[in-house]
């Protein structure tokens, strides 16, 4: 359970960093690319063993990390497009609600328990995620032409979590978790830096030092959010459907509280109802695991 709590904490710190990006006018794409490099280095340092780069492609999980790294970059760009066309609330709901995909994968593929209390808790958690994610100030109607991108964010985010669970359960040895995480970020960085070089060549971007600092601030918690999530998924006493539900709801609750404390954010009635449902859903799931 401690790994799950640490994953929630690390992911919530990411929320704080992103909020500061807006305040200090950090170029998000540049910071994201630097972040992937820092996250990769963090994983290599945490691995603490000699690394033979030639041997890395021989790991059974290596093709999966290439796929995940590709998705990290692609889904990030889809999120940016969704934010520009439909607003922050839409991309937030699409990302958070995608948890239903790994939950269903765990229930059906791994034949995880699906009792009444557990399913009720998961259902309430999904409703809570939706309600807490709604923001009046960013809400925006979605045209039919723009509907594709929130759907892609939803599906892509769900596939990322599902793939991480599948690779962790099937191929990744306990001692290889840091290296596994590092290679994912290395792939994302490689693809991201290629895009960035292309943008520099076409003078669409100009590298600034503050964007590098932003990437450094984001990279460390980003690495640990994945590392601790993988470790939580390895807990034999926690089913993946429970881990993903509690992780998602926990991040939303803590990030919301941090937003209230540090950024004086205001919650609507729907947000508070969602917050209450989130607490109740956690209680139901905890009762099932007790």
């Amino acid at each position: 359970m401690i790994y799950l709590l640490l994953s929630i904490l690390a992911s919530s710190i990411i929320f704080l960093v992103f909020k500061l990006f807006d305040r200090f006018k950090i170029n998000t794409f540049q910071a994201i690319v630097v972040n992937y490099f820092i996250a990769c280095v963090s994983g290599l340092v945490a691995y603490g063993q000699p690394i033979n780069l030639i041997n890395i492609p021989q790991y059974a999980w290596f093709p999966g990390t290439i796929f995940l790294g590709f998705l990290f970059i692609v889904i990030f760009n889809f999120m940016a497009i969704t934010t520009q066309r439909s607003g922050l609330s839409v991309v937030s709901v699409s990302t958070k609600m995608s948890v239903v995909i790994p939950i269903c994968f765990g229930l059906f593929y791994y034949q995880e328990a699906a009792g009444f209390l557990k399913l009720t808790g998961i259902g309430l958690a999904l409703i809570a995620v939706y309600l807490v994610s709604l923001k009046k100030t960013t809400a925006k109607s979605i045209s039919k032409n723009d509907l594709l991108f929130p759907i892609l964010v939803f599906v892509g985010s769900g596939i990322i979590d599902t793939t991480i669970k599948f690779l962790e359960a099937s191929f990744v040895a306990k001692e290889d978790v840091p290296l596994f995480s590092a290679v994912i970020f290395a792939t994302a960085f490689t693809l991201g830096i290629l895009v960035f070089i292309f943008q520099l060549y076409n003078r669409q971007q100009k590298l600034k030092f503050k964007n590098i600092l932003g990437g450094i601030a984001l990279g460390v918690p980003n690495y640990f959010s994945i590392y601790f999530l993988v470790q939580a998924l390895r807990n034999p006493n926690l089913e993946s459907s429970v881990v993903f539900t509690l992780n998602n709801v926990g991040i939303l609750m803590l990030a919301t509280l941090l937003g209230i404390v540090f950024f004086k954010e205001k919650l609507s009635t729907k947000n508070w109802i969602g917050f209450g449902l989130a607490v109740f859903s956690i209680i139901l799931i905890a009762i099932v695991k007790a």
Side-chain angles (χ1 to χ4, degrees), residues 60-259:
W61 44 257
F62 179 74
T65 60
I66 300 298
F67 175 66
L68 284 171
F70 173 77
L71 277 183
F72 274 26
I73 287 292
V74 171
I75 297 305
F76 164 73
N77 283 284
F78 285 158
M79 290 172 67
I81 293 172
T82 303
T83 301
Q84 293 167 1
R85 296 191 177 189
S86 306
L88 285 170
S89 62
V90 175
V91 75
S92 177
V93 171
S94 298
T95 304
K96 297 295 191 302
M97 294 299 290
S98 68
V99 72
V100 72
I101 296 176
I103 287 174
C104 290
F105 181 77
L107 292 174
F108 291 102
Y109 186 83
Y110 293 110
Q111 298 294 303
E112 295 178 354
F116 175 76
L117 284 179
K118 179 179 178 179
L119 292 179
T120 301
I122 291 174
L124 290 176
L126 293 174
I127 296 172
V129 165
Y130 175 77
L131 291 175
V132 176
S133 298
L134 292 178
K135 304 295 180 184
K136 288 183 179 179
T137 56
T138 56
K140 194 176 179 181
S141 59
I142 311 175
S143 68
K144 290 183 179 179
N145 292 333
D146 293 336
L147 188 60
L148 173 64
F149 291 102
I151 293 174
L152 290 174
V153 170
F154 170 83
V155 174
S157 299
I159 290 175
I160 287 174
D161 286 341
T162 302
T163 304
I164 288 175
K165 168 57 187 175
F166 176 74
L167 294 175
E168 172 276 321
S170 304
F171 303 111
V172 183
K174 183 177 181 179
E175 63 274 12
D176 291 336
V177 171
L179 183 62
F180 166 72
S181 304
V183 175
I184 295 175
F185 289 120
T187 303
F189 170 73
T190 301
L191 295 173
I193 200 67
L194 290 175
V195 174
F196 179 61
I197 291 173
F198 175 79
Q199 292 177 340
L200 280 179
Y201 179 77
N202 288 278
R203 298 184 180 179
Q204 297 176 8
Q205 299 255 10
K206 184 177 180 181
L207 183 63
K208 294 183 179 180
F209 183 67
K210 67 177 182 179
N211 300 329
I212 296 176
L213 291 179
I216 294 172
L218 182 64
V220 175
N222 195 14
Y223 164 74
F224 282 107
S225 69
I226 296 295
Y227 173 79
F228 289 133
L229 176 61
V230 172
Q231 294 289 17
L233 288 168
R234 300 185 73 86
N235 188 331
N237 297 318
L238 289 175
E239 295 176 332
S240 66
S241 55
V242 172
V243 170
F244 282 118
T245 301
L246 294 181
N247 187 65
N248 201 282
V249 173
I251 292 169
L252 194 64
M253 291 175 65
L254 183 54
T256 300
L257 290 175
L258 291 174

